[in-house]
Amino acid sequence: GPMGQEKIAENYIGRYYLDVIKNLSTKDIQFTFDVSTDPNLQSVREGIVIEQEPEQDIEITHLVPVRLTITPVITLEDDEIFDIFQYIVEKYPMPVDINIIAYYEGEMKELLSMNHEGGKISFPYIVKSGTEIIVYILDAEEDRFLIEKEESEYLIDEEDEGE
């Protein structure tokens, strides 16, 4: 909507990350996600928001993304990867249409679709190893990334020792 239109932060605490991405992207509110590394959160449900900034009912300015922290997703199929996709979009004078999709063995799955003004994008995803994540800006392919098993930083990797 127009610049002057104010957007108010909802309470995202306790909500599953996919619902929150859908909610924010539908309203074209920019956001970033982090994953908590707090070991005391083992008992909390996986993939839910545990911190947000700004807090509920605070006005969101279009310059500052909503920052969300979620619990890690640990329960995965053997060939699945959970990670945070991070990307910097160049600044545009007005919000541009961004689509980020996961492409695996001929199947496409939309991860994110929104109008974005540029800057950092980061959000959690679960994909199968061998998936390509493709970034489209204004319907043109901007970038693609191959996601493979060993790249997830949330898995303990013991092979890095004697290189």
Side-chain angles (χ1 to χ4, degrees), residues 150 152 155-161:
E150 65 274 8
S152 172
L155 299 172
I156 309 304
D157 196 14
E158 283 147 21
E159 292 162 38
D160 290 347
E161 298 304 303

Side-chain angles (χ1 to χ4, degrees), residues 38-58:
D38 182 347
N40 301 322
L41 290 169
Q42 303 300 338
S43 58
V44 181
R45 285 205 340 268
E46 297 184 10
I48 63 159
V49 174
I50 49 170
E51 285 171 33
Q52 76 176 62
E53 194 168 309
E55 289 170 19
Q56 184 178 0
D57 300 334
I58 303 290

Side-chain angles (χ1 to χ4, degrees), residues 55-122:
E55 289 170 19
Q56 184 178 0
D57 300 334
I58 303 290
E59 187 180 333
I60 297 164
T61 73
H62 68 107
L63 300 170
V64 183
V66 177
R67 298 202 349 251
L68 302 149
T69 304
I70 64 165
T71 53
V73 177
I74 303 159
T75 311
L76 296 164
E77 303 287 316
D78 277 349
D79 59 347
E80 282 183 330
I81 296 166
F82 166 76
D83 211 339
I84 297 273
F85 182 75
Q86 300 193 48
Y87 193 77
I88 305 286
V89 180
E90 63 178 276
K91 292 276 186 198
Y92 287 88
M94 54 180 18
V96 293
D97 190 25
I98 290 184
N99 291 286
I100 301 178
I101 62 143
Y103 182 77
Y104 180 75
E105 292 187 351
E107 300 280 305
M108 286 193 170
K109 182 174 79 170
E110 187 177 86
L111 299 179
L112 180 69
S113 175
M114 69 182 294
N115 289 310
H116 201 281
E117 290 178 29
K120 184 177 173 188
I121 292 183
S122 68

